[in-house]
């Protein structure tokens, strides 16, 4: 198990309030992520408009200034330096009317092959956000993901929830190490996306991912499959909340993914009634 929710942030996205509490991420202060137990999911089951991008500020807005103390009118205001307002833009949509299924935290020896089988049987291409240690452990699965036409996404070396708080050099090294592990399995394969563990984006993480040619990929629909709700719940959350251009967050690792797997046929058939299911493009 595992996920912790590191922050809880409320963001208003195009009129919809959405609570993000650590997306691929989990509960507060729980055990660290391990390959056998990763997680994800923002608090809200999802739903943001598929349109854009304005990113939630990683920290809550400062409270309104308190009344000025009556003393010291002659002194310059002693306001603390405002923490730099991190402004950044995340990718939250596919960029077209198509809908993308994304699978985080793998590859996993048990669940990834089953997810790949389910996608293949239905002719669906998706996007896999890989953890570096997992890619290193299961290069044959990385090869299979690419051979079957899916898109690659970097999901950090070892699912470091606080990666974005590191120095830019350390963030870069982590992302590069992950890309190198993926490329050890599939030399030259494009890795055009990065997804921060827990959705704990920072301006630095966004900046470094872009500098490495990766778009900071968030999502629009999170059924919280890592919490292991019933398959029918996962499927109905996805089908109900997806709009054109949506990016759906799912997991093929980080714990028992039987319910996610069982939900896939209904997710696919439900979405296909209205949308084209696409892999995210490798060209940015
Ligand atoms: Zn994750």
């Amino acid at each position: 198990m595992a996920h912790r929710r590191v922050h809880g942030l409320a963001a208003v996205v195009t009129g919809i309030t959405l609570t993000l509490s650590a997306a691929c991420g989990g509960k507060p202060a729980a055990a660290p992520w391990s390959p056998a137990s990763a997680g994800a999911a923002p608090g809200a089951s999802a739903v943001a408009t598929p349109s854009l991008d304005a990113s939630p500020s990683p920290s809550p807005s400062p409270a309104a200034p308190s009344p000025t103390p009556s003393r010291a009118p002659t002194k310059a205001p002693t306001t603390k330096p405002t923490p730099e307002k991190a402004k950044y833009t995340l990718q939250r949509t596919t960029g077209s009317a198509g809908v993308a299924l994304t699978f985080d935290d793998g590859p996993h020896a048990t669940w990834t092959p089953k997810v790949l089988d389910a996608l293949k049987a239905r002719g669906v291409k998706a996007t896999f956000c890989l953890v570096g240690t997992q890619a290193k452990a299961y290069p044959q699965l990385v090869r299979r993901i690419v051979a079957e036409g899916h898109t690659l996404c970097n999901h950090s070396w070892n699912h470091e929830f606080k990666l974005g708080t590191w120095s830019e050099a350390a963030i870069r090294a982590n992302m590069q190490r992950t890309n190198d592990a993926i490329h050890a399995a599939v030399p030259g394969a494009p890795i055009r996306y990065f997804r921060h563990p827990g959705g704990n984006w920072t301006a630095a993480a966004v900046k470094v991912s872009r500098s490495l040619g990766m778009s900071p990929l968030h999502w629009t629909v999170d059924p919280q499959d890592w919490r292991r709700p019933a398959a029918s719940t996962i499927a109905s959350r996805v089908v109900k909340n997806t709009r054109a251009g949506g990016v759906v967050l799912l997991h093929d690792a980080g714990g028992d993914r039987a319910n996610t797997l069982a939900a896939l046929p209904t997710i696919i058939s439900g979405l296909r009634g209205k949308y084209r299911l696409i892999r995210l493009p490798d060209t940015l």
Side-chain angles (χ1 to χ4, degrees), residues 29-169:
W33 181 89
S34 73
S37 64
S45 17
V47 209
T49 63
S51 36
L52 57 113
D53 293 313
S55 30
S57 164
S59 51
S61 312
S66 47
T68 316
S70 51
R71 61 180 200 77
T74 55
K75 256 174 128 184
T78 55
T79 338
K80 282 191 207 160
T82 324
E84 190 187 330
K85 270 231 164 145
K87 291 284 185 198
Y88 51 82
T89 300
L90 302 177
Q91 177 174 347
R92 295 170 182 277
T93 74
T94 61
S96 70
V99 165
L101 300 183
T102 63
F103 294 90
D104 284 15
D105 299 351
H108 185 281
T110 301
W111 301 108
T112 303
K114 293 179 195 291
V115 167
L116 287 168
D117 289 346
L119 296 174
K120 191 177 188 180
R122 292 162 183 82
V124 174
K125 307 295 185 203
T127 297
F128 286 80
C129 295
L130 307 182
V131 170
T133 51
Q134 297 294 100
K136 186 180 177 192
Y138 303 106
Q140 72 285 9
L141 289 175
V142 179
R143 281 192 284 276
R144 184 175 164 195
I145 287 167
V146 170
E148 295 185 1
H150 304 291
T151 298
L152 297 173
C153 165
N154 177 326
H155 195 39
S156 81
W157 174 251
N158 196 26
H159 211 273
E160 291 89 353
F161 284 99
K162 295 190 171 179
L163 178 65
T165 66
W166 299 3
S167 70
E168 287 185 16

Side-chain angles (χ1 to χ4, degrees), residues 191-241:
I191 307 168
R192 294 286 178 252
Y193 300 91
F194 171 77
R195 177 173 278 162
H196 200 295
N200 298 334
W201 296 100
T202 64
V206 168
K207 178 181 170 188
V208 177
S209 85
R210 286 194 194 287
S211 77
L212 291 171
M214 300 185 290
S215 177
L217 178 65
H218 202 66
W219 56 80
T220 51
V221 180
D222 172 17
Q224 305 213 319
D225 66 322
W226 61 271
R227 288 178 181 270
R228 298 201 281 167
S232 57
T233 303
I234 296 172
S236 67
R237 285 174 176 172
V238 171
V239 173
K240 212 185 292 178
N241 293 319

